[in-house]
Amino acid sequence: MACFCSIQFLPFAKSLTLLSPISTLSSLPLRPIRSNFSPPPVSSLPSPFPCRCTSATSPPSHSDGFIGFLDDEEEEAAAAGEEEEEEEDEEEFYEDDDLDLEALESEAKDAVRSYSTSLSRQLTIEDETDDLKGFKGKQKRRKGATKTIPDHLLPKVTIVGRPNVGKSALFNRLVGGNRAIVVDEPGVTRDRLYGRSFWGDHEFVVVDTGGVLNVSKSQANVMEDLAISTTIGMDGISLLSREAAVARMPSMIERQATAAVEEASVIIFLVDGQAGLTAADVEIADWLRKSYSSKYIVLAVNKCESPRKGVMQASEFWSLGFSPIPISALSGTGTGELLDLVCSGLKKTEDVENMDEEENYVPSIAIVGRPNVGKSSILNSLLGEDRTIVSPISGTTRDAIDTEFVGPDGQKFRLIDTAGIRRRASVASSGSTTEALSVNRAFRAIRRSDVVALVIEAMACITEQDTRIAERIEKEGKGCLIVVNKWDTIPNKNQQTATYYEQDVREKMRMLDWAPIVYSTAITGQSVEKVIVAASTVEKERARRLSTAILNQVIREAIAFKSPPRTRGGKRGRVYYCTQAAIRPPTFVFFVNDAKLFPETYRRYMEKQLRSDAGFAGTPIRLLWRSRRKVEKDEGKAATRTRSNLSPCEGNVALTT
């Protein structure tokens, strides 16, 4: 029996209770403060009123009964608090057999679709709504048509002609869409541009080319016809190199057009009906007749919007030795008759059988970056041919160039060379409509690609524009690898150079800290093959799927290592279920009690744990958090837990609104 004088310590115990952060929370039950400190016995504490009792036994008093009652109540509360705390710790990751897993999986897929739709609305591209509004000639895919025939097995139809006769407009009309840049100025198209098309039972590939020139013209006239500037994109280039690059440009464009004509089954020779017959048309006709007489050639007279005037305009071109047909690429007049003539010279290609969807799937790799960092050089080095024009003049590439490529292991890829992406303010200040459309085509290439090779220049290191492009890639959810080109320009390299350079890249591109880095020199072909190897690895990681059992085990271990933080009100987030709802990119949906209880820092921690335990190198991963609440089965249990409004109990799962 305690001494009566120990009642003097009750005010001190009460003050400790009031200072405790746990006891002041009305929503939490009373529970003891867990600490390694054990209070000394009351008899060992000094007292200002020393006990004068010498007898071992003392008469019972009212105060002794009060203390005994208080001790019993504290013990019961402590036991109940420990039990509820252990239950909460166990249920930070809650998974029960009563969960409707099929409903959760269905809801997860709906969440992914909703998120993707919302994201696509945010990442709008300017020319998706206002570029070429007048063009409405989009083809509708015929019923039963399946894209089982690879592009390289389809016959090719090449469009040739002098500059500014409407070749790109006709290309867009035949393939359906705005693939090629169409601007009312000559020399816009420089590289070959490919697109699939069909007419009736025939399917073929249409090839757009740059304006074909002739050697009879002087260099000044050629420059004027192609509208080649001697100032735009020439910053930092010496005068001698500038003149040499400009002089080579016409021959490079003509070489690209010649390569397209050589691989074509049918040639569409396009002329301008409004401008009439020119000397350039006569020389191109002679060139086609002498060099490619074995190929089927169709003469199309463009810009004949009026059917009556079109016949008169076309009659002028009979002297070229071909039968002219009046058409209008802008309005579509006469294109049906043109396609009938084209298909009469094509052989029908049979569909390739025994090809499932996975075998037919060809991942796309977009090569993007700032102007003049070596994107076209990397493409040509990979293909082993001059597929695109390479020039020290920045902005040489304008369209997004698609090319099929087969890797060393037989894996097929679609390589997309893009125009250099400059800052929006620089593009606007230049006043060039062509450059603005080229940048938009580059953003479209990122969107339709699977893996993006972000090319940076070694000596220039990381710029603000590189960071903006990286942010766009991450938001689009594309796999990415960073290609450090022109690595040979780094002086005095040693074994630590790449390590220090990688640290600098990781520091400035934190949004792509998961992307692998490849060092190459495209002009000599050094280490360029590593780009395809890294892209293949990234694509495999991008398409990888974790089983739900392994995924939940990873999440359970991550929560055990670091629990979600508590709010000031004592609430703590709990994960009920997690599933991978999509691939490309890997998307995981977390079903939790309240998504607001998981701050951004904890979500980044969960992403790092997923990467460290499950991989996914080179691809962004998305974590979607869905709020849910648990409904108690036995309402009687709620009455016994009046002090714990947030304590979970066994029950079904319902969606919170």
Side-chain angles (χ1 to χ4, degrees), residues 449-582:
S449 66
D450 298 290
V451 180
V452 179
L454 176 58
V455 184
I456 62 177
E457 188 177 352
M459 287 296 293
C461 200
I462 306 298
T463 64
E464 182 181 359
Q465 183 63 9
D466 292 324
T467 305
R468 292 180 179 177
I469 298 174
E471 292 176 351
R472 183 64 179 236
I473 296 171
E474 196 275 335
K475 289 180 180 179
E476 292 280 2
K478 306 300 181 181
C480 181
L481 63 138
I482 301 173
V483 181
V484 183
N485 195 29
K486 305 180 183 180
W487 186 242
D488 59 328
T489 59
I490 299 293
N492 303 324
K493 293 190 292 292
N494 53 40
Q495 297 179 351
Q496 301 297 326
T497 303
T499 303
Y500 294 148
Y501 199 95
E502 181 176 354
Q503 292 177 356
D504 182 69
V505 172
R506 300 298 186 195
E507 180 66 25
K508 296 179 180 179
M509 285 190 175
R510 295 184 178 180
M511 72 291 297
L512 295 182
D513 56 354
W514 37 262
I517 300 178
V518 178
Y519 303 92
S520 67
T521 303
I523 195 171
T524 62
Q526 180 182 357
S527 301
V528 177
E529 69 281 354
K530 294 182 180 179
V531 175
I532 293 297
V533 175
S536 178
T537 303
V538 169
E539 169 57 24
K540 292 177 181 177
E541 289 292 310
R542 178 177 162 83
R544 190 159 61 90
R545 186 183 295 274
L546 290 180
S547 65
T548 304
I550 296 177
L551 175 61
N552 283 275
Q553 180 63 27
V554 171
I555 301 302
R556 187 179 291 106
E557 293 177 356
I559 293 177
F561 182 79
K562 182 180 179 180
S563 301
R566 288 184 183 272
T567 63
R568 292 184 177 181
K571 297 182 180 180
R572 170 175 290 179
R574 298 182 181 86
V575 179
Y576 300 146
Y577 185 72
C578 181
T579 181
Q580 183 176 355

Side-chain angles (χ1 to χ4, degrees), residues 7-17 45:
I7 192 68
Q8 60 187 318
F9 297 107
L10 284 177
F12 176 70
K14 184 177 181 180
S15 63
L16 288 179
T17 305
L45 295 176

